[in-house]
Amino acid sequence: MTVTDRIALDPFGSDIPAESARLRALGPVVPVELPGGIPAWAPTGYDVLKELILDPEVSKDPRKHWRLWPEIGEHPSWGWILGWVGVINMLSTYGPDHTRLRKLVAPSFTHRRTEAMLPRVAAITSELLDGVAAAGADGAVVDLRAELAHPLPMRMICELFGVPDELRDATGELIAAIMDTSDPSPEHAAFVQERIGTVLGALIAHKTEHPGDDMTTELIRVRDEDGDRLGDEELLYTLLLVIGAGFETTVNLIGNAVVALLTHPVQLAAVRAGTAGWDAVIDETLRVHPSIASLPLRFAVSDLKVGDVTIPAGDAIITTYAAAGVDPERYGPDAAVFDAARGADDHLSFGIGVHRCIGAPLARAEALAALPALFDRFPGLRLAVGERELRQVPSFIAFGWQEIPVRLGG
């Protein structure tokens, strides 16, 4: 196929596995169209994605390496992408700039810092499960996303960054709006940009006036003491990235694991019997149902040869974690089947190399606290609707459920 035959990605992400399979049948890398008509390339297999992520000739900086960056203002329906590539943080920088910004945030996500947070994770999990029990009394339907999968990582990241209670709902709504790719209208893009400045600007103002033992206070200190290390815009958008990525992806990890186990009773029985471990459940969830399906954008610094296809210098590329995780060339003909006994911990869902997710240890720790506690507390847990009735969040980026209605059982 040629670039004139671009495949339009579903902006609602209605059936990400089926879409990944269709693209894979067309070749190792396929020209696609993102919401609003943005042209890009989609790798369709594990090896190709891994090679592109690790290739130094693939950049994350649109200002330097996206051929269409100067034209973005001419396309009103492209404005939504600015929340992803029009900001300056670790997600949209390349080389020394990325290294500088990552070093500022890394101390908050070390193994030691994560270990120190475990008692708090356990305490919040226990408190939330009490709420689940109350909400599900007398056989009532409970939305596990709203009662557990969302509030646990949200509260943890807000404590880590000192987000006050009065800003938590607005912060969650902001991240949900950025993840929502179903509306590429200029109005939605303008709303998101306005809310970034309003919500995170309020956080910066609050922590400037009320400093504490939190990461926002530390980043403000760095900005004030050395603007060369962190500027005002970088501070704002670094907070956007680490707060958003620090809870939204974990929401989907916990929720996707719950749904996977409830729809695979043999796997659930194996975990309960101790013949499969929770670490394996988490890795298999990340492989088959990664929290991020496709992440925009990366850019070809030079012409890139992929099989018999050339990605021209300056073209955009999406990182297709959902497609890579179920690649039959890597994981066999049953790659799309959830099987914790598979023991595949080589998935790319946390990234790889210098861009590996800095919050991966915390996300895993939260899931390892929530999942065993949930199934120990409610061994009769079951979905209250059929699997096909679950609704994917409206996004080709995020991979998760809008609600997870369950009954707690006896």
Side-chain angles (χ1 to χ4, degrees), residues 47 59 68 81 87 134 219 238 248 272 286 296 373 375 397:
D47 289 338
S59 167
L68 298 178
I81 200 70
V87 297
L219 290 174
T238 293
E248 181 67 24
R272 286 175 169 165
L286 289 166
F375 285 99
I397 296 172

Side-chain angles (χ1 to χ4, degrees), residues 161-331:
F161 281 85
V163 179
D165 291 347
E166 60 268 25
L167 287 177
R168 287 187 181 181
D169 287 347
T171 301
E173 291 164 3
L174 167 63
I175 302 306
I178 292 174
M179 289 287 181
D180 185 347
T181 59
S182 66
D183 182 4
S185 69
E187 292 77 15
H188 180 72
F191 167 77
V192 169
Q193 290 300 312
E194 184 275 330
R195 294 304 288 165
I196 291 173
T198 299
V199 175
L200 296 181
L203 171 60
I204 293 169
H206 175 82
K207 298 311 298 184
T208 299
E209 186 175 349
H210 306 284
D213 182 18
D214 56 74
M215 194 58 195
T216 301
T217 298
E218 176 60 20
L219 290 174
I220 291 170
R221 184 192 64 76
V222 171
R223 179 202 62 181
D224 292 346
E225 293 181 359
D226 188 354
D228 290 337
R229 291 179 66 203
L230 186 68
D232 286 334
E233 190 176 8
E234 290 174 332
L235 168 62
L236 183 75
Y237 292 133
T238 293
L239 290 171
L240 175 68
L241 173 63
V242 292
I243 292 175
F247 88 88
E248 181 67 24
T249 53
T250 311
V251 172
N252 292 338
L253 170 56
I254 295 171
N256 290 348
V258 169
V259 172
L261 289 172
L262 292 180
T263 54
H264 292 79
V266 174
Q267 298 292 313
L268 179 55
V271 175
R272 286 175 169 165
T275 57
W278 287 107
D279 273 308
V281 168
I282 290 170
D283 280 320
E284 187 68 352
T285 301
L286 289 166
R287 184 188 70 81
V288 180
H289 306 291
S291 302
I292 296 295
S294 296
L295 191 63
L297 285 170
R298 299 183 187 225
F299 312 96
V301 176
S302 59
D303 289 354
L304 302 172
K305 193 75 172 176
V306 180
D308 59 358
V309 176
T310 298
I311 301 176
D315 274 16
I317 304 165
I318 59 174
T319 45
T320 47
Y321 303 114
V326 293
D327 181 3
E329 291 293 321
R330 180 72 181 187
Y331 297 108

Side-chain angles (χ1 to χ4, degrees), residues 8-29:
L9 298 185
D10 178 5
F12 291 88
S14 304
D15 194 343
I16 289 171
E19 185 171 68
S20 297
R22 286 195 298 270
L23 293 176
R24 186 178 300 109
L26 297 174
V29 61

Side-chain angles (χ1 to χ4, degrees), residues 132 135-136 139-145 147 258-259 262 374-375 378 380-385 390 403-409:
V132 170
V141 174
V142 183
D143 178 5
L144 267 187
R145 187 185 194 277
E147 297 293 339
V258 169
V259 172
L262 292 180
L374 172 68
F375 285 99
F378 308 110
L381 191 71
R382 65 187 187 278
L383 285 176
V385 298
L390 296 172
E403 304 95 11
I404 306 175
V406 300
R407 296 187 191 276
L408 305 183

